[in-house]
Amino acid sequence: MSQSTNEAVVMTGGVSAEPGMRVYNQKLGMWVFLASEVMFFTGLIGAYIILRFGTDAWALPGIPLEEGGTPLAIQLTALNTFLLICSSVTMVKAFAAIEHGDQKGLRLFLVLTVLLGATFVGVQVFEYIQLAHEGFLPRCAEELAAVVPNCNLFGSTFYTMTGFHGTHVSIGVLCLIWVTVKAFRGAYSRENHGGVEVVGLYWHFVDLVWIILFTIVYLI
Amino acid sequence: MSSTEDSPMTSAETKKPNYYLIWFLLFVLTMVEVGLAYVSALPRNFLILILLALALWKATLVAMYYMHLKYERLRLILVATAPIPLAIILVLGILLEYAQ
């Protein structure tokens, strides 16, 4: 072991880490990936701003649909946002549990996180089905296009942004299922739980992105 | 995979925020946001600013306390926040174009 590596081990309380960053590789890799994801979603938001501010009118919350209101079910999505926030707290509690070697707590909170995440995806699919049934699509039904300002543009941006986020959530749920299965097999311990932390970082990021998207797409 | 590579950082272990308090704050802020969105009495631009500020506040809470960024070393914080100035430049650049 080189001198610089030795120094890094000492600086992290006995945990081996990259000499430069003093963070283990998987965690550093996840943070770099998340940094790239920030730019990905910023690109989507930038495109949304261009398309929205380039038009003269947009569907707004708080007014009836016939007067140019939004066809989106804000209360339902607010509930879904609450579910995702709850899944973030169960995820961080799972991490806190295994930090203390609490296997039972880890498994319980991971299962809860998977259930909450899957419910979020389920509610989003339900929302899509309802909206499609009402004619709100990237190409809106004629009767809806007559009352919703720039309905096709609104629909396109809505499905693009929420669709990409929903894909991220779905991938996150699959990763969480994998981590949960490993947890039930006893793969994690107080000394070795990097997998829980790395997947947790991804999950919290998905929550963070939704917090921004919910405000931009649904409330503004 | 060696055990040392799997070992998580110890920095986040030593300090623990009250996760449920953060959760409650996020819940309250979400309710305030949804309530404000239905208040048509406020000027539209003012409302948008408030809603964006609340969303950024919530996102910061998640990053700092649930992702433990507050307790990480400065070097990792710099890596994690590196794209934020670029994101701000992109969004502000677009908005300024429409403001002209």
Side-chain angles (χ1 to χ4, degrees), chain A residues 20 27 50 99 192 215 220, chain B residues 6 13 16 33 72 75:
Chain A
K27 184 173 174 177
I50 289 170
E99 271 190 319
N192 176 13
T215 301
I220 290 180
Chain B
D6 265 350
E13 293 177 22
K16 282 282 183 299
E33 270 190 309
E72 294 293 356
R75 291 178 191 185

Side-chain angles (χ1 to χ4, degrees), chain A residues 99-117:
Chain A
E99 271 190 319
H100 294 98
D102 178 6
Q103 295 285 345
K104 196 177 169 184
L106 170 71
R107 291 165 190 164
L108 171 69
F109 284 116
L110 279 178
V111 168
L112 284 174
T113 311
V114 169
L115 289 175
L116 287 165

Side-chain angles (χ1 to χ4, degrees), chain A residues 97-143:
Chain A
I98 196 59
E99 271 190 319
H100 294 98
D102 178 6
Q103 295 285 345
K104 196 177 169 184
L106 170 71
R107 291 165 190 164
L108 171 69
F109 284 116
L110 279 178
V111 168
L112 284 174
T113 311
V114 169
L115 289 175
L116 287 165
T119 307
F120 177 90
V121 176
V123 171
Q124 192 169 32
V125 170
F126 173 77
E127 180 192 22
Y128 279 10
I129 292 170
Q130 288 292 107
L131 289 172
H133 185 70
E134 293 166 13
F136 184 68
L137 291 161
R139 184 178 173 84
C140 293
E142 281 183 18
E143 54 271 27

Side-chain angles (χ1 to χ4, degrees), chain A residues 11-12 15-16 20-28 31-32 34-35 38-39 42-43 46 49-50 52-54 60-62 74-75 78 81-82 85-86 88-89 92-93 95-96 99-100 109 191-194 197 201 204-205 207-208 211-212 214-216 219-220, chain B residues 1 3-14 16 19-20 22-23 26-27 30-31 33-34 37-38 40 44 47-48 51-52 54-56 58-60 62-63 65-69 72-73 75-77 79-80 82-84 86-88 90-91 94-95 98:
Chain A
M11 294 296 285
T12 53
V15 176
S16 180
M21 293 301 298
R22 295 162 191 176
V23 176
Y24 62 102
N25 288 344
Q26 292 90 335
K27 184 173 174 177
L28 178 60
W31 271 114
V32 172
L34 294 182
V38 169
M39 291 315 295
T42 304
I49 292 170
I50 289 170
R52 176 165 178 173
F53 284 84
L60 299 172
I74 292 175
Q75 288 93 341
T81 305
F82 176 66
I85 288 170
C86 289
S88 248
V89 79
V92 80
K93 289 298 286 181
F95 175 67
E99 271 190 319
H100 294 98
F109 284 116
E191 295 77 26
N192 176 13
H193 52 270
E197 184 176 28
L201 285 174
H204 296 309
F205 177 77
D207 180 26
L208 188 154
I211 284 170
I212 305 288
F214 174 63
T215 301
I216 292 176
L219 301 182
I220 290 180
Chain B
M1 191 180 289
S3 60
T4 52
E5 282 179 334
D6 265 350
S7 299
M9 290 285 291
T10 54
S11 55
E13 293 177 22
T14 52
K16 282 282 183 299
Y19 296 127
Y20 290 118
I22 305 297
W23 168 81
L26 289 170
F27 168 70
T30 303
M31 291 301 102
E33 270 190 309
V34 174
Y38 283 94
S40 55
R44 189 74 201 152
L47 184 63
I48 288 173
L51 289 173
L52 283 177
L54 288 172
L56 290 176
K58 286 163 64 186
T60 306
V62 171
Y65 295 104
Y66 285 172
M67 300 174 89
H68 295 128
L69 212 50
E72 294 293 356
R73 291 181 173 81
R75 291 178 191 185
L76 187 65
I77 293 172
V79 169
I84 293 175
L86 300 174
I88 292 170
L90 177 64
V91 171
I94 292 167
L95 285 175
Y98 283 103

Side-chain angles (χ1 to χ4, degrees), chain A residues 173-195:
Chain A
V173 170
L174 292 177
C175 293
L176 278 169
I177 290 171
W178 173 243
V179 168
T180 307
V181 169
K182 284 185 74 176
F184 273 91
R185 289 178 178 168
Y188 303 113
S189 64
R190 184 173 182 168
E191 295 77 26
N192 176 13
H193 52 270

